[in-house]
Amino acid sequence: MAHFIIRSCCRFPSSSGIRRFTNHQSFHLKRCIKTRLCVLPPCGVGGALALRAYSSDRGDPKPHQKVVVVGIPNPFIWLRTRVYYFLIRAYFDSEFNIEEFTEGAKQAFFHVSKLLSQCQFAALEGLVANDLIGKLEEKCGLLPPNYKTALLARPDELMYTTPGDVGIYYDDKGRRFVSILMRFWYLTSARLPEDSLEGTRVFKVAIGGEGEAESKRLLTANYEFQREFTKGVAPDWTITRIEHSKLLD
């Protein structure tokens, strides 16, 4: 099993965030301070998203527009995940914190999506499960360049993040596992056919003065993180599932 993604087994000071190590490099992941969302209530399966464009300065004759994604989570999924978080803290990791985990998952998402867009599959070792890397290499090899570009998610283009399903299970050997599915909504400027990606939204964002609007598309991605909690096993999270809306299914 691959390893070294997110270390949530230890509690870090809020200023230092989560520390992640790989075989090739180390990252110091600082916790986010600013919030990108104006509303956090009822997304995920059965949820809904809304897009709002607004001016950053009403007095500016050439306003810069921003896009805000308003998530409406499914209340049943929200409640179920909270129960699982309690079980994880009670029986697996007493210091588990979903907020810290989410920030680490974001950093992993940015890094892995960049590697995928650049087809650097060897660099995914230790971050992504070994059996998944081969499948991703095969799928990415069939994608045209513009689709590969659309895989890249940048921090300033991430619109919304929410945990999805949470699973706790045991295998036949008595090993214990926890999996957390993270859902991401992000913008891309990649040129994609209008009818190629069902369920996505296309809109224009004014990045300068009048006549300088740029078309962007809102895409979704699902990344599943898994950790083995068997005694004596390193406390590392591994990505075991990657889906980008209609790009990598």
Side-chain angles (χ1 to χ4, degrees):
M1 176 178 292
H3 54 287
F4 300 122
I5 265 290
I6 304 167
R7 295 181 177 267
S8 63
C9 60
C10 301
R11 182 177 299 277
F12 296 92
S14 60
S15 61
S16 61
I18 304 172
R19 188 175 299 274
R20 175 183 61 184
F21 299 93
T22 69
N23 295 329
H24 310 288
Q25 56 194 325
S26 63
F27 296 88
H28 184 67
L29 306 181
K30 295 182 178 179
R31 299 192 63 181
C32 297
I33 299 176
K34 297 183 179 180
T35 302
R36 296 188 61 90
L37 306 178
C38 64
V39 176
L40 273 181
C43 220
V45 178
L49 283 177
L51 298 178
R52 296 180 181 178
Y54 64 92
S55 171
S56 59
D57 187 351
R58 295 182 180 180
D60 189 348
K62 295 182 178 180
H64 297 263
Q65 291 187 351
K66 300 179 181 178
V67 175
V68 175
V69 176
V70 180
I72 307 176
N74 183 306
F76 298 103
I77 294 178
W78 184 90
L79 178 61
R80 184 177 65 184
T81 56
R82 265 56 192 177
V83 172
Y84 273 107
Y85 300 155
F86 169 78
L87 294 176
I88 292 172
R89 288 190 295 269
Y91 297 102
F92 296 90
D93 182 357
S94 61
E95 295 186 339
F96 175 79
N97 182 293
I98 188 58
E99 286 76 23
E100 290 185 359
F101 177 89
T102 298
E103 293 305 323
K106 288 179 183 179
Q107 299 302 321
F109 173 54
F110 300 143
H111 184 58
V112 171
S113 68
K114 179 180 179 180
L115 294 177
L116 288 175
S117 69
Q118 297 174 349
C119 295
Q120 297 183 22
F121 303 106
L124 294 175
E125 295 183 7
L127 302 171
V128 179
N130 291 332
D131 59 340
L132 180 58
I133 294 177
K135 297 177 182 178
L136 292 172
E137 185 172 1
E138 180 180 353
K139 291 180 179 180
C140 289
L142 301 175
L143 295 178
N146 55 329
Y147 278 52
K148 293 178 182 178
T149 301
L151 294 174
L152 173 62
R154 296 183 174 87
D156 60 340
E157 294 180 329
L158 182 65
M159 293 289 102
Y160 186 74
T161 304
T162 186
D165 294 333
V166 180
I168 298 175
Y169 56 95
Y170 298 77
D171 66 5
D172 296 335
K173 298 179 180 180
R175 296 182 301 177
R176 307 187 302 169
F177 297 89
V178 171
S179 63
I180 301 177
L181 180 66
M182 297 297 299
R183 304 181 184 279
F184 305 94
W185 281 261
Y186 66 100
L187 299 175
T188 181
S189 301
R191 295 181 178 273
L192 301 171
E194 293 295 329
D195 58 348
S196 62
L197 304 178
E198 297 180 3
T200 61
R201 300 171 183 265
V202 181
F203 51 93
K204 292 185 179 295
V205 180
I207 58 176
E210 295 181 1
E212 297 184 18
E214 177 185 2
S215 293
K216 291 199 174 186
R217 189 186 295 267
L218 182 68
L219 302 179
T220 62
N222 298 324
Y223 279 49
E224 184 178 65
F225 297 82
Q226 183 185 94
R227 175 184 162 185
E228 182 177 352
F229 280 88
T230 307
K231 185 177 180 180
V233 176
D236 308 316
W237 292 89
T238 302
I239 299 175
T240 56
R241 172 182 168 190
I242 293 178
E243 297 175 347
H244 282 253
S245 57
K246 305 303 179 180
L247 299 172
L248 293 176
D249 292 324

